[in-house]
C-alpha cells in the first residue's frame, strides 16, 4: 500500500525559503521508473504542478517557477524534499506530493497548507 | 490562465448525466499525450478518477467515463449522485512547456 505525507512549516514570512518534506511508503525511489511530484493549490484555485524527481535523479521543474525550486531525494529515508525560495503571499497554498505513474499522479498525500505572511 | 480549459461549473439533477470538457492544444492533448481526470471532494486531496483517457482505477464506478478526440477530452458522469459533488480536474503533459499541466477545474453541483 502506497502512502505519502507532506510535512513542513505552516507559516513562512515573505522572502524566506520554504522547505517541505514528502515521506512515503510502499515503494522505493531507487526502483527504475519511479517518480514523485509536487503540486500546489492556492485556496479556491486550481492545481499547479511544481516539480518532479525520478529514481535516477532526473529532475523536472515548472518553467514559471524553475528559478525558485529545488527538488531532492533521500532514498534511504524514503523522502523527497522541495525547497522554494523567495516566498511571497501569492505562494500561499496547499502543497501536495504525489506518486507518479507514467504521465499522471495515481496517489496523493493529504497536503499541507502553507501560509505566507509577515 | 490554465493551459487546459475547463468550464468553471456544471450542474445536474440526481440520476442525470453530465459531461465536463477539457480543451488543450497541439502541444499537449493534440500531440498524443493522454488526458487524466481527478476528483477533489471538498476539503480533501485530489483522487485519480480516469487515467489514459478512459481507464478507471480499481474502485471507481463505471458511472465515470472518459474520452478524447483531437485536442479535447471529456469526462462523463451518469446516474448523478449527491456524493459526486466535487471539483474535477483534467491533466495532461505539454511538450512545449515540458510540464505536467492541469485544467482550471470544474465544480459539479448536484441539484
Amino acid at each position: 500500500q502506497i502512502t505519502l505525507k507532506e510535512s513542513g512549516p505552516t507559516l513562512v514570512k515573505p522572502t524566506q525559503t520554504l522547505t517541505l518534506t514528502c515521506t512515503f511508503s510502499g515503494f522505493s525511489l531507487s526502483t527504475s521508473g519511479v517518480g514523485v511530484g509536487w503540486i500546489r493549490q492556492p485556496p479556491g484555485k486550481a492545481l499547479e504542478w511544481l516539480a518532479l524527481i525520478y529514481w535516477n535523479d532526473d529532475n523536472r521543474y515548472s518553467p514559471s517557477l524553475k528559478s525558485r525550486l529545488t527538488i531532492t531525494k533521500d532514498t534511504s529515508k524514503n523522502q523527497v524534499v522541495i525547497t522554494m525560495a523567495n516566498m511571497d503571499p501569492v505562494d500561499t497554498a496547499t502543497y501536495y506530493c504525489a506518486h507518479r505513474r507514467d504521465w499522471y499522479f495515481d496517489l496523493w498525500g493529504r497536503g499541507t497548507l502553507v501560509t505566507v505572511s509577515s | 490562465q490554465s493551459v487546459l480549459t475547463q468550464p468553471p461549473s456544471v450542474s445536474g439533477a440526481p440520476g442525470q448525466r453530465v459531461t465536463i470538457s477539457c480543451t488543450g492544444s497541439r502541444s499537449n492533448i493534440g500531440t498524443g499525450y493522454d488526458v487524466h481526470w481527478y476528483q477533489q471532494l471538498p476539503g480533501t486531496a485530489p483522487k485519480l478518477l480516469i487515467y489514459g483517457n478512459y481507464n478507471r482505477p480499481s474502485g471507481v464506478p463505471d458511472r465515470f467515463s472518459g474520452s478524447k478526440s483531437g485536442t479535447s477530452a471529456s469526462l462523463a458522469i451518469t446516474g448523478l449522485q449527491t456524493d459526486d459533488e466535487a471539483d474535477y480536474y483534467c491533466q495532461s503533459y505539454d511538450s512545449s512547456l515540458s510540464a505536467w499541466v492541469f485544467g482550471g477545474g470544474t465544480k459539479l453541483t448536484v441539484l
Side-chain angles (χ1 to χ4, degrees):
Chain A
Q1 179 192 3
I2 290 176
T3 64
L4 305 100
K5 185 176 182 179
E6 306 85 353
S7 60
T10 58
L11 179 67
V12 297
K13 291 179 169 34
T15 75
Q16 286 186 336
T17 294
L18 170 68
T19 298
L20 293 174
T21 300
C22 176
T23 303
F24 56 85
S25 63
F27 66 95
S28 172
L29 250 180
S30 60
T31 301
S32 178
V34 175
V36 172
W38 284 92
I39 302 102
R40 72 177 178 178
Q41 184 175 36
K45 296 189 177 181
L47 300 168
E48 178 185 21
W49 172 72
L50 300 177
L52 187 140
I53 187 164
Y54 288 100
W55 81 101
N56 60 358
D57 282 321
D58 183 14
N59 301 332
R60 304 297 170 90
Y61 295 102
S62 165
S64 62
L65 293 167
K66 184 174 183 176
S67 64
R68 299 172 54 203
L69 294 172
T70 303
I71 189 169
T72 60
K73 64 181 174 66
D74 186 330
T75 304
S76 65
K77 293 182 179 179
N78 280 350
Q79 291 181 333
V80 171
V81 174
I82 190 169
T83 63
M84 180 179 290
N86 194 23
M87 293 291 283
D88 183 271
V90 300
D91 297 312
T92 293
T94 296
Y95 289 75
Y96 298 98
C97 63
H99 176 267
R100 165 212 164 264
R101 182 175 294 278
D102 294 331
W103 296 99
Y104 57 94
F105 301 99
D106 61 341
L107 290 159
W108 297 56
R110 298 176 74 171
T112 185
L113 176 61
V114 178
T115 301
V116 185
S117 174
S118 55
Chain B
Q1 198 80 346
S2 301
V3 173
L4 304 178
T5 301
Q6 299 179 233
S9 64
V10 297
S11 62
Q16 285 190 334
R17 177 182 186 269
V18 296
T19 61
I20 299 172
S21 61
C22 175
T23 302
S25 67
R26 288 192 294 178
S27 63
N28 42 70
I29 300 174
T31 201
Y33 286 103
D34 289 340
V35 178
H36 320 286
W37 293 89
Y38 302 87
Q39 178 192 58
Q40 187 175 32
L41 297 169
T44 69
K47 167 193 163 187
L48 181 66
L49 192 65
I50 296 287
Y51 66 95
N53 303 317
Y54 53 79
N55 299 291
R56 287 185 306 276
S58 174
V60 173
D62 59 7
R63 300 187 297 105
F64 296 90
S65 62
S67 63
K68 172 189 163 183
S69 178
T71 58
S72 296
S74 288
L75 172 71
I77 310 172
T78 59
L80 269 181
Q81 300 178 0
T82 54
D83 289 350
D84 297 334
E85 279 207 343
D87 294 323
Y88 293 84
Y89 293 91
C90 60
Q91 177 252 308
S92 186
Y93 184 83
D94 191 284
S95 57
S96 293
L97 298 171
S98 295
W100 282 257
V101 291
F102 288 91
T106 298
K107 182 176 183 60
L108 169 64
T109 301
V110 181
L111 304 169

